Amino acid sequence: MNVIESASNEKIKSAAKLSSSSKERKEKREFFLEGLRLCRDAAECGIAIKNFFYTENALEKHKSDVEFISSKAEQTFLISKSAALKMSDTQNPQGLFCVCPFLCEKGEEVVLSGGKFIALENVQDPSNLGAISRTAEALGITALIAENGCDIYNPKAQRAAMGSLLRLPVIRTENLSSLIEKCKENGFKAYATTPSENAKLITECDMSGSVIAVVGNEGNGVSEKIFASCESVTIPMKGRAESLNASVAAAITMWEIMRS
Amino acid sequence: MNVIESASNEKIKSAAKLSSSSKERKEKREFFLEGLRLCRDAAECGIAIKNFFYTENALEKHKSDVEFISSKAEQTFLISKSAALKMSDTQNPQGLFCVCPFLCEKGEEVVLSGGKFIALENVQDPSNLGAISRTAEALGITALIAENGCDIYNPKAQRAAMGSLLRLPVIRTENLSSLIEKCKENGFKAYATTPSENAKLITECDMSGSVIAVVGNEGNGVSEKIFASCESVTIPMKGRAESLNASVAAAITMWEIMRS
């Protein structure tokens, strides 16, 4: 166990930068987790933890958790309150932080072997990404597929995901449309969600066997390119609201996929 | 049209207090709305607007909206940027604000005449309340019923609701358990949601006719008192996540109620 007093220590500054900058995460191929829940989830699900930082206060309140997380971490640091504040998103940090290498990336072969998949095309809001991941895991979706949009290591996405983004397989693709075509060659049904009333009702879709369903960007929905490869499906709306929130539309879509 | 320059003007201070204090809202029986979307929604759906405040900047950017909202408001004020900042939740306010009297409250007789209802028992998080209201309106739920928990005039709830809390009927009850008993005497089916695996699967419930379904507090779920009056139902979870977010559990529940 090492001690860090100064908030301008290089390890602290580097961790804070991982938290705030997607570019930094991509360059270092590392990400940042804050809080008891996420740090413990990381230790429990066996992902690599490079640095674990905790405050005196966190040690007093969560002794067994601190010991457990320390036992899984490459390096452990007791840090000052000012160092914790430098890294934290909040004014009253719990005082537990991890830096982890990027998770092992799953390739497209995971998809092609079959299952039930939700694909996000350019979903931007980290809270939506996190919420969709949480629901996907709870309902038993095989894996999340993502093209563009928010990165899964965004701290707000990780917080909303309640640990699910550490456990649920995520496949990044540069070409969702081509992946969908390969899925269809492998017998998948491919659906793209839309608020349009002209689309097929989601309750009338065949969800048996392997399925991939695409949820689009919050503002623009699914792109024309993806619609060209998929059957358009809609959640019938009987009320006056303009649309469902992206995470709710995704939740109902995943529910229908897993329902039968 | 009147002009307010000072951020310490009484009307500005009073509006800011309505935004921050639930107690103040209850005493004055007034609430506060911020932003183009909500102020326009208020004007469009015909609720009373006591004061409408806008900045020079808002007038330039949204002239026709400002004129439309002004035409519906009892009093209209052109305000300074500092007055806007005093009232706003954000650092870059859009510069449109309304103060409205409490909405016309619906009584329990609205429920007893039948329909499809979602009841919230002590739901605390304003974002959950708002999100549930938005989904309820989109799916065509008859009305929202609420016992305790977050007040519907909370600015965060209003923002997440995207105007739906101004349109969807909301029935406040002091005694949800007694209301459910009356519903059952009127032929309703009454369900209470739980993560427990011993409960009936929601996919196997009869959702025909009049239905009331209860979603519980984020931490503690539905209370024993309510379970005593309802059939317990659960959303089957196949994954590892501990539970669904309250707004997602409510969304799937409402979807199942309206699905058939």
Side-chain angles (χ1 to χ4, degrees):
Chain A
M1 191 266 294
N2 311 280
V3 175
I4 297 178
E5 282 290 340
S6 165
S8 50
N9 173 286
E10 280 307 318
K11 286 203 157 53
I12 301 297
K13 277 162 60 184
S14 162
K17 207 163 174 199
L18 287 175
S19 167
S20 62
S21 160
S22 168
K23 186 161 165 278
E24 179 79 2
R25 292 193 286 274
K26 270 175 205 148
E27 276 172 25
K28 291 260 182 72
R29 297 191 58 76
E30 290 175 353
F31 68 108
F32 175 82
L33 294 172
E34 171 168 5
L36 175 62
R37 166 78 190 240
L38 284 174
C39 292
R40 201 179 49 201
D41 279 350
E44 273 174 2
C45 69
I47 69 169
I49 300 173
K50 186 183 165 198
N51 296 328
F52 170 48
F53 305 95
Y54 64 89
T55 59
E56 192 71 50
N57 196 27
L59 178 63
E60 276 167 30
K61 277 199 189 156
H62 311 289
K63 191 161 191 293
S64 65
D65 291 305
V66 167
E67 286 170 355
F68 173 64
I69 302 163
S70 297
S71 75
K72 304 285 182 179
E74 245 175 78
Q75 286 199 287
T76 294
F77 303 87
L78 177 63
I79 62 170
S80 66
K81 201 179 162 191
S82 65
L85 282 168
K86 168 84 183 171
M87 289 188 285
S88 179
D89 240 13
T90 69
Q91 291 185 314
N92 290 300
Q94 286 181 302
L96 301 96
F97 311 87
C98 286
V99 168
C100 304
F102 271 13
L103 303 170
C104 173
E105 284 199 10
K106 303 291 190 298
E108 297 190 349
E109 67 283 359
V110 170
V111 183
L112 298 179
S113 65
K116 311 283 194 186
F117 299 88
I118 187 89
L120 309 183
E121 187 190 18
N122 199 21
V123 166
Q124 292 290 341
D125 180 335
S127 305
N128 280 339
L129 171 60
I132 292 170
S133 159
R134 181 178 170 187
T135 306
E137 187 187 31
L139 296 179
I141 289 286
T142 313
L144 201 71
I145 299 167
E147 186 191 55
N148 297 325
C150 174
D151 97 76
I152 63 163
Y153 302 111
N154 179 299
K156 282 186 191 157
Q158 288 287 342
R159 197 183 317 132
M162 301 274 275
S164 61
L165 278 171
L166 304 173
R167 295 181 296 257
L168 187 72
V170 177
I171 294 100
R172 273 265 157 213
T173 175
E174 302 287 314
N175 193 337
L176 180 58
S177 147
S178 138
L179 176 57
I180 291 171
E181 288 300 336
K182 284 184 222 158
C183 284
K184 282 160 64 184
E185 285 164 21
N186 282 264
F188 278 59
K189 285 145 208 119
Y191 299 111
T193 58
T194 167
S196 162
E197 288 173 10
N198 300 323
K200 188 170 184 176
L201 297 183
I202 196 164
T203 46
E204 292 169 4
C205 292
D206 178 5
M207 297 295 190
S208 63
S210 289
V211 172
I212 180 168
V214 186
V215 170
N217 172 270
E218 290 90 343
N220 305 317
V222 171
S223 70
E224 284 308 318
K225 194 175 172 194
I226 298 297
F227 275 128
S229 304
C230 297
E231 186 165 12
S232 301
V233 298
T234 192
I235 295 167
M237 281 188 275
K238 297 168 187 171
R240 283 163 301 183
E242 285 165 31
S243 70
L244 293 164
N245 168 282
S247 70
V248 169
I252 293 175
T253 302
M254 293 188 280
W255 171 250
E256 281 296 317
I257 293 173
M258 302 306 293
R259 191 179 186 275
S260 47
Chain B
M1 190 264 295
N2 311 279
V3 175
I4 298 177
E5 283 290 338
S6 164
S8 51
N9 174 287
E10 280 306 318
K11 286 205 157 52
I12 301 298
K13 277 162 62 184
S14 162
K17 208 164 174 196
L18 286 176
S19 168
S20 63
S21 160
S22 168
K23 187 160 164 279
E24 180 79 2
R25 292 193 286 273
K26 270 175 205 147
E27 276 173 23
K28 292 258 181 75
R29 296 191 57 78
E30 290 174 355
F31 68 108
F32 175 82
L33 294 172
E34 171 168 4
L36 175 62
R37 165 79 190 238
L38 284 174
C39 291
R40 201 180 47 201
D41 279 350
E44 272 173 3
C45 69
I47 70 170
I49 300 173
K50 187 183 164 197
N51 296 327
F52 171 48
F53 305 95
Y54 64 89
T55 59
E56 192 70 50
N57 197 26
L59 179 63
E60 277 167 31
K61 277 198 189 157
H62 311 290
K63 191 160 190 293
S64 65
D65 292 305
V66 166
E67 286 170 357
F68 173 64
I69 303 163
S70 296
S71 75
K72 304 285 182 179
E74 245 175 79
Q75 286 199 286
T76 294
F77 302 87
L78 176 64
I79 62 171
S80 65
K81 201 178 164 193
S82 65
L85 282 168
K86 168 84 182 173
M87 288 188 286
S88 179
D89 240 12
T90 68
Q91 290 184 315
N92 290 302
Q94 286 181 301
L96 301 96
F97 311 86
C98 286
V99 168
C100 303
F102 272 13
L103 303 171
C104 173
E105 285 198 11
K106 303 291 190 297
E108 298 190 350
E109 65 284 359
V110 171
V111 182
L112 298 179
S113 65
K116 311 282 194 185
F117 299 89
I118 187 90
L120 310 183
E121 187 190 18
N122 199 22
V123 166
Q124 293 290 340
D125 181 334
S127 306
N128 280 339
L129 171 61
I132 291 170
S133 159
R134 181 178 171 188
T135 307
E137 187 187 33
L139 295 179
I141 289 286
T142 313
L144 200 71
I145 300 166
E147 187 192 55
N148 297 323
C150 175
D151 97 74
I152 63 163
Y153 301 110
N154 180 299
K156 282 186 192 161
Q158 289 287 342
R159 195 179 321 132
M162 302 274 275
S164 61
L165 278 171
L166 304 173
R167 296 180 295 256
L168 187 72
V170 177
I171 294 101
R172 274 264 157 213
T173 175
E174 302 287 315
N175 193 336
L176 180 57
S177 147
S178 138
L179 176 58
I180 291 171
E181 289 300 337
K182 285 183 221 156
C183 284
K184 283 161 63 184
E185 286 164 22
N186 282 266
F188 279 58
K189 284 141 208 128
Y191 300 110
T193 57
T194 167
S196 163
E197 288 173 11
N198 300 322
K200 188 169 182 174
L201 297 183
I202 196 164
T203 45
E204 291 170 4
C205 292
D206 178 4
M207 297 295 189
S208 63
S210 289
V211 171
I212 180 169
V214 186
V215 170
N217 171 269
E218 290 89 344
N220 305 316
V222 172
S223 70
E224 285 307 318
K225 195 174 171 196
I226 298 296
F227 275 128
S229 305
C230 297
E231 185 166 13
S232 300
V233 298
T234 193
I235 295 167
M237 281 188 273
K238 297 169 185 168
R240 282 162 302 183
E242 285 166 30
S243 69
L244 292 164
N245 168 283
S247 70
V248 169
I252 293 175
T253 302
M254 292 187 281
W255 170 250
E256 282 295 318
I257 293 172
M258 302 306 292
R259 192 179 186 276
S260 45

